[in-house]
Amino acid sequence: MSGFRRPLNPVLARELRVRMRGRQAAVVLTLYLTILSLFLYLTYRSVTDIAALSGISSVASSASAGRNVFQWLLVVMLALVCFIVPGLTGGAITGERERQTLIPLQVTLMKPLSILLGKLGASVAFTLFLVVAALPLIGVAFVLGGVSVGEVIAGTAIVLFIALVLAVFSLGWSSVFRRSQLATVTSYAITLFLVLGTPLIYASQRIASSSYQGSGHTSKAIMVLNPFVLTADVAGGQTGSSSAPLNGLRSFVHPNSYSVGSSLVRSNGTTFTRSNPVRIPQPYEGFPFWVRSVIVFLGLCGTTLAVATYRLRTPAPKER
Amino acid sequence: MSENAIEIYGLTKRYGDLFAVRDLNLKIPHGSVYGLIGPNGAGKTTTLSVLASLLEPTAGRVLVGGFDPSRDAQGVRRKVGYMPDVMGLYENMRVNEYLQFFAAAYRIPAKEWPALIGGLLELVDLTDKGDAFVDGLSRGMKQRLSLARALAHDPEILLLDEPASGLDPHARIELRGLVQELASMGKTVVISSHILPELEEMCTEVAIMEAGALLASGPPKEIGVGTGQTRSVKVRLWGGSEKTFEVADEIEQRDLVRRLVVDEELPVIEVTTIEENLEDLFLRVTKGQRQ
Ligand SMILES: Nc1ncnc2c1ncn2[C@@H]1O[C@H](COP(=O)(O)OP(=O)(O)OP(=O)(O)O)[C@@H](O)[C@H]1O
Ligand SMILES: [Mg+2]
């Protein structure tokens, strides 16, 4: 209520108002929650079935189920974010160009960066809305146990961060291209590259290097660009359980922390619940994996925003 | 500050080999209604885009409200309201919301919005459409909403690119009234068109352009535009017969139609004004210069 409060970015305010009114938001939210609930149910079922078969104590199996459910939820949430954000953001600027609404906006006192940040805010706000809507489901995992508050916070934060990164990339394409279709397709292609292209490059590097030397060491640098590996490194548990998806991915980044093939062990009535991972302290490698990943992403986002701002500057050498 | 709202010195805009505007020099006085006339491709939109701080010229310099758009675009934008030749409106908003958005984009404090928007809607005669969605407006209404948007920050200078395109004769007369009202408020209005009669009656000065070059400029009467000109009116009757009349102006045209419909009780179904051929005008103007 204070008179000195800075008003909300006009573009953001407009987007929020129009988006929330549209039916699209409700449809996306419904689909999103349906898919997440389905996964919640399936993971819970499969984990408890395995536990019942192997005769593991209920407390331990509940904790394991909680961990599995949480991690699967994060993975599916992230997958949905990767699916939704490029579609949501790829047309942000091209759409204004196509509807010929960009020029009236450019002759106001709004600077290109504010226009971009308003669009970005709208995309991230929608993702935040989706993440918050999924919190009750994550709550189920939390009640089952085996998940710490820290993991929940870190997991949702990193999903939001990745949403922001994908939104910035998509916004960049949206300001580079003239057509929404091209911008959106390219945004999806980039997302697909980050998710599937990076492990493919890694795998091909590995194959190439192992054909030269017996046990070639392949650089994992390319994997800092992988959203799932980043999420695993931030939110994956410390204890190995390969059926929990993020733990498996995390062991890829930190192979030394885990014993190979650690998993639920069928122990025929004994109280062992899982094999004890053997921890070998990692040699000092500079920044942790996730910090490197975040820094690389932030750098790319900064560059993208700079290019997009440049593309939207006026007076321009060419109009439209 | 000079007595001119806009000064254009040697403005040139080139796209590859094509000169969209070539060495244009113009001075547009404060408070004038200035017409930019020329056929398609004459360079009207290009010129207005440079003035509106959207387009960087290849050469030359312009001053708009005392600011050079290449150096101080924000300064220009505070003083200029621009209405592009295409009507880019957000269809999925209400008229009020649409104007609020632009008021915010012009950094007008929110507490001033209700009075501002009320005034704008009254000016463009959309008072009862405030809660209507933009996509439900007629073309003429949308045009007036675009104009209201361009006026949101109470600019001294208005740049209107073909504001009358696509409007019916009635809406054109309304638009003319609106422009005159803006002029009476002391604003400088620059208005482009490829139709001459549309401008000659309301403009204090006109510039005639073709293929990027200025052919003539000055008050319409002085450069031979609209002097002793008559306009042709084609009247179509029920049954298919057509008649052409010559009238001097709008008022005479109205009298003519009243005479035909009321006095002679003719079944008039269509009245069209035949616009003066620009080719003729250019011939006349260029001849006038050579004499
Ligand atoms: N972005 C561009 N790239 C290349 N050529 C352009 C570009 N914009 C305009 N032109 C050319 O510049 C010339 C002048 O165009 P402009 O739009 O200024 O004309 P105009 O007088 O507004 O015409 P109209 O009555 O059709 O609106 C035209 O020949 C046009 O083809
Ligand atoms: Mg034009």
Side-chain angles (χ1 to χ4, degrees), chain B residues 250-277:
Chain B
E250 200 87 6
I251 296 160
E252 230 174 74
Q253 179 177 340
R254 227 173 287 159
D255 290 343
L256 168 77
V257 174
R258 191 186 302 126
R259 202 185 74 224
L260 295 178
V261 175
V262 180
D263 302 344
E264 301 183 18
E265 294 185 350
L266 290 173
V268 174
I269 55 169
E270 192 180 359
V271 180
T272 357
T273 314
I274 300 163
E275 316 287 9
E276 187 192 23
N277 189 344

Side-chain angles (χ1 to χ4, degrees), chain A residues 210-231:
Chain A
S210 64
S211 60
Y212 287 122
Q213 307 137 296
S215 62
H217 182 77
T218 316
S219 164
K220 285 173 183 163
I222 187 80
M223 296 307 279
V224 297
L225 289 172
N226 190 292
F228 286 86
V229 174
L230 170 59
T231 305

Side-chain angles (χ1 to χ4, degrees), chain A:
Chain A
M1 283 291 115
S2 101
F4 297 100
R5 207 180 53 184
R6 222 186 133 159
L8 192 62
N9 180 310
V11 169
L12 175 58
R14 195 193 82 78
E15 293 279 335
L16 290 180
R17 172 178 254 164
V18 172
R19 283 233 172 112
M20 287 305 151
R21 185 151 62 206
R23 193 179 300 163
Q24 201 190 352
V27 172
V28 171
L29 179 69
T30 312
L31 275 177
Y32 165 84
L33 285 180
T34 310
I35 294 174
L36 277 185
S37 309
L38 198 71
F39 264 85
L40 176 76
Y41 175 74
L42 289 177
T43 340
Y44 181 74
R45 273 291 298 274
S46 69
V47 173
T48 46
D49 284 356
I50 291 171
L53 277 174
S54 45
I56 296 166
S57 76
S58 68
V59 173
S61 81
S62 170
S64 160
R67 168 169 300 280
N68 270 275
V69 165
F70 169 68
Q71 295 198 356
W72 273 114
L73 278 179
L74 267 192
V75 166
V76 175
M77 249 164 79
L78 188 58
L80 290 176
V81 159
C82 289
F83 189 72
I84 292 168
V85 170
L88 205 65
T89 326
I93 302 295
T94 47
E96 298 265 348
R97 282 194 208 276
E98 282 163 350
R99 286 177 297 165
Q100 295 164 328
T101 49
L102 188 61
I103 285 175
L105 193 51
Q106 284 180 309
V107 295
T108 68
L109 298 178
M110 281 199 82
K111 302 225 169 85
L113 187 61
S114 318
I115 296 174
L116 288 166
L117 291 181
K119 292 286 182 184
L120 194 61
S123 284
V124 174
F126 189 70
T127 321
L128 181 67
F129 173 63
L130 292 182
V131 168
V132 169
L135 281 182
L137 298 180
I138 290 178
V140 172
F142 191 69
V143 167
L144 287 171
V147 187
S148 71
V149 182
E151 279 172 347
V152 172
I153 293 173
T156 45
I158 205 68
V159 168
L160 277 176
F161 174 76
I162 290 163
L164 174 78
V165 169
L166 296 179
V168 170
F169 290 172
S170 306
L171 198 59
W173 294 117
S174 196
S175 53
V176 166
F177 290 125
R178 306 261 126 185
R179 297 259 135 230
S180 286
Q181 230 174 358
L182 188 55
T184 306
V185 167
T186 313
S187 302
Y188 274 114
I190 291 298
T191 309
L192 199 68
F193 168 76
L194 297 179
V195 174
L196 294 179
T198 50
L200 280 178
I201 290 178
Y202 173 73
S204 60
Q205 279 176 346
R206 228 184 127 105
I207 290 164
S209 71
S210 64
S211 60
Y212 287 122
Q213 307 137 296
S215 62
H217 182 77
T218 316
S219 164
K220 285 173 183 163
I222 187 80
M223 296 307 279
V224 297
L225 289 172
N226 190 292
F228 286 86
V229 174
L230 170 59
T231 305
D233 193 39
V234 170
Q238 293 298 317
T239 45
S241 158
S242 68
S243 67
L246 295 181
N247 282 17
L249 269 181
R250 192 168 193 274
S251 65
F252 166 82
V253 184
H254 304 283
N256 297 337
S257 327
Y258 305 98
S259 60
V260 178
S262 68
S263 72
L264 288 173
V265 172
R266 216 183 263 204
S267 44
N268 292 331
T270 59
T271 53
F272 289 106
T273 54
R274 43 176 82 99
S275 68
N276 242 345
V278 184
R279 279 179 192 249
I280 301 165
Q282 286 221 327
Y284 180 71
E285 275 191 59
F287 295 116
F289 180 87
W290 71 268
V291 175
R292 274 183 284 157
S293 179
V294 166
I295 289 173
V296 168
F297 276 133
L298 286 179
L300 288 173
C301 284
T303 314
T304 307
L305 274 181
V307 170
T309 308
Y310 183 74
R311 285 285 304 180
L312 287 187
R313 84 204 178 284
T314 44
K318 254 190 190 186
E319 210 194 319
R320 269 155 235 169

Side-chain angles (χ1 to χ4, degrees), chain B residues 142-254:
Chain B
K142 285 181 180 171
Q143 209 88 338
R144 298 205 299 267
L145 179 58
S146 301
L147 185 57
R149 173 198 70 216
L151 287 164
H153 56 309
D154 193 23
E156 288 171 23
I157 300 167
L158 270 169
L159 307 174
L160 312 180
D161 199 357
E162 308 237 10
S165 72
L167 296 187
D168 65 18
H170 177 70
R172 283 183 190 200
I173 293 169
E174 274 182 0
L175 181 78
R176 193 176 307 166
L178 202 50
V179 168
Q180 250 130 29
E181 196 171 339
L182 293 171
S184 72
M185 291 160 72
K187 298 188 189 302
T188 308
V189 185
V190 182
I191 183 165
S192 85
S193 176
H194 57 272
I195 304 164
L196 180 68
E198 198 172 272
L199 292 185
E200 63 171 78
E201 287 168 42
M202 62 172 150
C203 289
T204 52
E205 280 185 56
V206 295
I208 297 169
M209 294 178 75
E210 194 190 16
L214 181 68
L215 295 186
S217 68
K221 302 260 184 295
E222 268 176 40
I223 57 168
V225 178
T227 42
Q229 270 308 114
T230 54
R231 61 160 85 185
S232 304
V233 179
K234 195 168 73 183
V235 177
R236 199 150 66 88
L237 301 179
W238 178 255
S241 65
E242 280 178 10
K243 274 184 175 175
T244 307
F245 299 87
E246 298 285 314
V247 294
D249 55 18
E250 200 87 6
I251 296 160
E252 230 174 74
Q253 179 177 340
R254 227 173 287 159

